[in-house]
Amino acid sequence: MFLPALALVGPLLAASAPRPAEVIALWGGSAPGSEQRSSEPEQLERGAYVHNVHRPSLTVLRPRREHAQGTAIIIAPGGGHRMLVFQNEGMAPAKILNRYGITVFVLRYRLAREPGSTYTIERDAAGDARRAVRWVRAHAAEFGVSPRRIGLMGFSAGGELVSLVADNPEPGDEVRSDRLARISGRPDFQVLVYPGPLGIPATDVAHAPPAFIAAGALDTCCAGPALTLFQQLQEAGRAAELHVFSGVGHGFNVGVHDERLSIQHWPDRLADWMSDEGFLNVPHDEDEPRYP
């Protein structure tokens, strides 16, 4: 009696279930400057920390189709440029953002401070983040997102990449024969979570996209840079929101190791801000840029 109904439920559940994560090579072949090491495998420590990145990539996590908002966020995990805190500052926040209907791309970028590294943060790691913005913008239609609603989000060292890309000028040394190099690498909005000091004070706040900044009041490393950037953006007349959480230090991620309610719920504050700024629920004219 119930078999026909069950036969219908199966396809419906499959249609609404989130798609499995897919991994995309960011540079296609070898990244510039990584040609000699591109065949080396990445290393995974304790199932959570990624090392030895020579082929930067994006891991894509899509929301359920019925929740999709047409907005994308690229996440740059932290790790001091020695490793990537890929689970707690990459996959975990990505799954939370999926609940708000956001399509998420978790970035594996090259590590400039890993032993034996020949990379630099400004040239290679920031270059990977800028390339990620360009790649997602160029392929926006394939993922059902607007090319004018692409955000760049970073934790700690990843926050440094956000500021270097969003709040400072492009280096101008890209190969212009590269099709993607002709696409804007500046995100439409930026999210910095306990960002490190590199790239702050910023040198191009006049063109910075809207910013959401979060830090812990007890963070001796990164509360200062967060405050400095917020003040710069305010003085330049750029849209910015700052949350400093009492009794919290560095590395609170999305509350994996912290039971404070403010930390458990700070992603809700991000979603509120995104809605207020028009990055969720509000369609935009795709011909109009989000910033000058």
Side-chain angles (χ1 to χ4, degrees), residues 198-209:
L198 194 61
I200 302 172
T203 58
D204 191 22
V205 289
H207 299 96

Side-chain angles (χ1 to χ4, degrees), residues 137-193:
R137 184 163 282 141
H139 295 84
E142 299 171 28
F143 294 91
V145 301
S146 166
R148 298 297 182 188
R149 282 196 274 170
I150 297 171
L152 183 58
M153 175 180 185
F155 294 79
S156 191
E160 294 181 323
L161 303 188
V162 175
S163 191
L164 285 169
V165 171
D167 307 315
N168 291 275
E170 292 191 17
D173 58 356
E174 287 89 349
V175 178
R176 290 300 165 182
S177 59
D178 180 354
R179 179 180 63 88
L180 288 186
R182 289 170 275 175
I183 297 172
S184 173
R186 180 165 274 171
D188 298 297
F189 62 95
Q190 55 180 320
V191 181
L192 302 99
V193 189

